[in-house]
Amino acid sequence: MSHPIYIGGHWREGRGDVIVSRFPADDSINAELRAASLEDVEDAVTAADAAWRDPGWAQRLPHQRAEVLYRVSDLIMQQLDTLSRLQTRDNGKPLSETRALVASAAGTARYMAAACETLEGELPTRRSAEFMTFSEYEPLGVIAAITPWNSPIASDMQKVAPALAGGNAVVLKPAEATPLMALKLAELFEQAGLPKGLLSVLPGRGSVIGDALVRHPKVRKISFTGGTSTGRHLAHIAADKLIGTSLELGGKSPTIVCKSADVEQAVRGIAYGIFSSGGQACIAGSRLFIHERQYNAVMARLLEVTSGLRVGHPETDGVHIGPLINTAHRDSVSAYVDQARQEGGKVLIGGQAPDDPDLAGGSYYLPTIIEGLPANSQVCREEIFGPVLVALKYKDEADLIRQANDSVYGLAAGIWTQDYRQALTLARQLEAGTIWINTYKKFAISTPFGGFKESGLGREKGRQGIQAYMQQKSIYLGLDSTPMGWSQ
Ligand code: NAD
């Protein structure tokens, strides 16, 4: 019996192709399941459209909708260990990372519940003695949420929680490689008492199931996290349908070491920023800029720190870097490193799979640092989504800003300096949606997140995170009792 999927509040076998969830550490099978079919998409969207309009949900006040999210948050924290282990099986991240991701999903549900309870409409300043106006937020309807494989429960919750808090229904399509966490999340929402139909989870191929979902006439918003080319494709579909999108896309983020940086702090932050999650993070700090006078000293220490990182089984305590999601992805990372060698880059460390026989069955790749590449090389420009860092030099601030901003992406940037005046000057010039100063890859759900340029459209998180799933309705209230219109 294959693992059931969740359609319109019912657990049943999908009617699509068989997909297999594998443990990237040894390629063993976690679960086999029948993916959703086009008929399943139709059933899920039809159920979702009925569910958000159902008076049982539509008439719930915001604080009553919030109750479901508070309960989900509690359930997640009660099952933190089991869920972290499941996520580690699903995508191979070390347990220390998946624990943090699972806890962050609980925090997102709690924050969005609180934000929902306190979401206020607007009472604009009056412009006439004849009437007053106010604006309220209403749900959009059915939301198509599409997520990638690198942080399943966190990115799923980042969409599902604000969308449900805003009174919508959600059809979630997780990545093919990682269907299990999204299905588990559906189980938790069901236990928390979410009315049937408000959430469906449809594992399946993006180009088939994802495509049919976003094109469905009843879908009123696309909320997507994934690669830039997929995001662009979805934006075209949304434009045809005249619906909104929220696009969290790729990155090639610069991290900058200034002359006054605390080198030890910077080097550890740089290593964490690129090598945690095996570099499979949209915000990975994959381009390192070091002032030319400090270059040798910073690189020497960075190489020492990198050589001390432990690559290994993701369920073993103390492991820093687990396997990549699968061997096809490792091949793609490895091809980029070969390309760097051809482009004149020098691989200073890594640049291959580990030779430890215990790791031979998994899709591991060593943390890799490359120098000597021209800034316009393919490896400096394209998102590799693996543990590969390119190191570059800069002469002065103008040279730094020119190089750092010379990218189609603009997701994040890191600055290491003890001079806060300089930090703020740089931060204001960098074209990125998130700037970390003397820290990196840290998140607060209260703080808006999203990309500049081809890294995305719209913002997730923060109090505005719910409004992204709502539309304003303005109401004019006449106050003048004399008949209006032309005098006759
Ligand atoms: P991807 O774009 O290949 O797939 C993401 C999701 O989109 C998957 O569920 C996939 O099945 C679906 N999909 C693919 N083609 C589709 C189509 N034609 N129609 C509808 N759905 C489709 O990305 P990926 O390889 O899973 O993830 C890695 C990418 O995600 C990287 O580029 C990374 O930077 C990005 N990412 C961005 C953020 C962010 O917040 N900015 C966070 C995590 C990952």
Side-chain angles (χ1 to χ4, degrees):
M1 169 71 182
S2 85
H3 195 297
I5 64 174
Y6 192 59
I7 306 169
H10 303 283
W11 291 97
R12 62 179 207 221
E13 199 168 59
R15 287 171 283 181
D17 303 337
V18 172
I19 52 176
V20 181
S21 152
R22 288 177 185 276
F23 185 26
D26 57 17
D27 215 31
S28 56
I29 294 179
N30 296 322
E32 275 190 1
L33 51 92
R34 292 275 307 274
S37 66
L38 297 178
E39 296 77 32
D40 293 331
V41 173
E42 184 59 43
D43 288 355
V45 177
T46 304
D49 195 49
W52 80 270
R53 295 172 192 277
D54 188 296
W57 179 251
Q59 286 172 12
R60 276 197 208 184
L61 295 168
H63 69 278
Q64 295 166 329
R65 292 201 299 265
E67 282 167 13
V68 175
L69 291 164
Y70 286 127
R71 281 198 291 271
V72 162
S73 175
D74 290 345
L75 287 169
I76 291 174
M77 288 315 286
Q78 284 158 20
Q79 299 178 36
L80 182 69
D81 190 55
T82 319
L83 294 171
S84 313
R85 287 180 186 281
L86 180 65
Q87 173 133 0
T88 289
R89 298 280 317 180
D90 218 10
N91 79 347
K93 282 192 178 182
L95 274 174
S96 56
E97 285 194 33
T98 54
R99 278 198 194 99
L101 285 170
V102 171
S104 91
T108 300
R110 183 158 287 280
Y111 179 88
M112 288 302 166
C116 164
E117 287 202 61
T118 53
L119 179 68
E120 282 172 356
E122 284 173 30
L123 188 60
T125 307
R126 283 174 62 189
R127 300 288 292 179
S128 166
E130 288 175 27
F131 59 84
M132 62 174 289
T133 65
F134 61 95
S135 298
E136 291 183 325
Y137 286 94
E138 294 194 355
L140 292 167
V142 180
I143 309 297
I146 301 185
T147 51
W149 44 261
N150 60 324
S151 306
I153 196 171
S155 48
D156 296 343
M157 188 63 102
Q158 235 161 268
K159 300 183 183 314
V160 172
L164 291 177
N168 303 279
V170 185
V171 181
L172 170 64
K173 198 215 78 67
E176 293 91 312
T178 51
L180 299 184
M181 278 315 279
L183 289 166
K184 190 72 194 172
L185 196 58
E187 216 179 289
L188 297 175
F189 270 104
E190 191 177 45
Q191 273 176 38
L194 185 75
K196 285 188 188 311
L198 285 169
L199 176 63
S200 288
V201 176
L202 303 182
R205 287 244 306 277
S207 56
V208 181
I209 298 310
D211 190 81
L213 174 61
V214 296
R215 287 184 197 275
H216 196 291
K218 290 197 166 113
V219 164
R220 300 312 303 156
K221 172 158 183 159
I222 303 170
S223 179
F224 172 76
T225 299
T228 293
S229 60
T230 316
R232 184 176 281 114
H233 172 72
L234 297 181
H236 279 119
I237 296 173
D240 276 346
K241 290 178 67 180
L242 281 182
I243 62 172
T245 52
S246 156
L247 303 175
E248 298 290 351
L249 309 177
K252 189 79 183 174
S253 300
T255 37
I256 295 160
V257 184
C258 300
K259 270 189 283 182
S260 71
D262 171 336
V263 172
E264 191 58 25
Q265 192 198 28
V267 158
R268 289 183 180 277
I270 290 159
Y272 178 76
I274 178 65
F275 298 132
S276 55
S277 314
Q280 301 167 114
C282 53
I283 40 156
S286 49
R287 288 184 298 148
L288 170 62
F289 292 95
I290 307 172
H291 190 273
E292 58 186 5
R293 263 193 270 146
Q294 253 186 320
Y295 185 85
N296 292 342
V298 173
M299 287 301 285
R301 184 66 190 129
L302 180 60
L303 288 168
E304 273 172 19
V305 167
T306 305
S307 64
L309 295 177
R310 201 166 150 209
V311 177
H313 195 282
E315 288 171 331
T316 305
D317 276 347
V319 158
H320 300 110
I321 305 173
L324 301 183
I325 185 74
N326 52 38
T327 45
H329 185 54
R330 180 178 63 183
D331 291 348
S332 143
V333 171
S334 168
Y336 270 112
V337 176
D338 290 344
Q339 167 81 15
R341 289 186 176 105
Q342 280 164 28
E343 287 178 317
K346 188 170 164 202
V347 177
L348 301 175
I349 190 167
Q352 60 182 64
D355 48 20
D356 180 348
D358 287 348
L359 304 182
S363 39
Y364 295 90
Y365 199 81
L366 290 174
T368 299
I369 303 179
I370 304 171
E371 69 174 5
L373 282 170
N376 62 357
S377 65
Q378 195 183 348
V379 173
C380 287
R381 293 196 165 275
E382 294 183 11
E383 183 183 43
I384 300 175
F385 219 59
V388 179
L389 177 69
V390 289
L392 299 144
K393 295 177 189 172
Y394 69 91
K395 287 185 185 32
D396 54 32
E397 203 171 291
D399 179 39
L400 167 67
I401 292 296
R402 187 187 49 74
Q403 290 194 65
N405 285 342
D406 184 17
S407 169
V408 295
Y409 295 114
L411 195 57
I415 303 171
W416 300 93
T417 177
Q418 298 195 64
D419 177 348
Y420 268 81
R421 206 173 299 156
Q422 180 188 30
L424 282 178
T425 310
L426 290 177
R428 295 206 163 108
Q429 294 176 81
L430 287 166
E431 295 168 351
T434 295
I435 311 279
W436 283 289
I437 300 170
N438 294 329
T439 180
Y440 201 86
K441 218 179 166 188
K442 296 286 174 197
F443 279 119
I445 180 65
S446 53
T447 306
F449 174 74
F452 279 23
K453 302 194 281 189
E454 294 187 19
S455 287
L457 270 182
R459 294 290 176 269
E460 290 192 326
K461 306 186 176 179
R463 292 176 66 86
Q464 304 88 333
I466 295 181
Q467 279 139 300
Y469 293 95
M470 303 189 84
Q471 52 195 339
Q472 270 184 306
K473 179 177 279 175
S474 293
I475 296 180
Y476 282 67
L477 198 59
L479 300 174
D480 193 350
S481 55
T482 55
M484 70 176 290
W486 301 277
S487 53
Q488 289 172 333

